[in-house]
Amino acid sequence: FFDRAVDLCGDNPAATLHVGDRPDRDIFPARDAGLRTAWIRRGVQGYLAADDPHLHAAADFVIGSLIELPDLIRPAS
């Protein structure tokens, strides 16, 4: 899935940010495909895993709300 998405979006996984709330179905597979990742901690699973150091190390960003996304994708000035 992630490889196909990258192919459709320009074939540069390192320039692609995947946002997901499921570490097992989002963060780890996207990271393994070479994408940058943002783990959005929502729902019971997000809060149960909030202190997992492996998950924090796997995700490039850890956010609590989609409102935080513009700051992640806005180019630095």
Side-chain angles (χ1 to χ4, degrees), residues 12-23:
N12 186 356
T16 304
L17 176 66
H18 177 76
V19 179
D21 63 349
R22 292 278 311 256

Side-chain angles (χ1 to χ4, degrees), residues 5 14 22 35 73:
R22 292 278 311 256
L35 282 69
I73 59 176

Side-chain angles (χ1 to χ4, degrees), residues 3-73:
D3 292 335
R4 180 70 177 133
V6 169
D7 287 344
L8 292 171
C9 293
D11 202 30
N12 186 356
T16 304
L17 176 66
H18 177 76
V19 179
D21 63 349
R22 292 278 311 256
D24 58 337
R25 293 187 183 173
D26 289 314
I27 303 306
F28 295 118
R31 181 204 57 194
D32 292 345
L35 282 69
R36 294 173 43 223
T37 59
W39 173 45
I40 183 167
R41 294 181 306 125
R42 61 176 163 188
V44 173
Q45 181 176 350
Y47 293 103
L48 290 176
D51 295 326
D52 184 340
H54 299 290
L55 184 52
H56 282 269
D60 294 296
F61 305 100
V62 178
I63 59 176
S65 168
L66 291 175
I67 246 171
E68 299 173 58
L69 278 179
D71 291 333
L72 300 180
I73 59 176

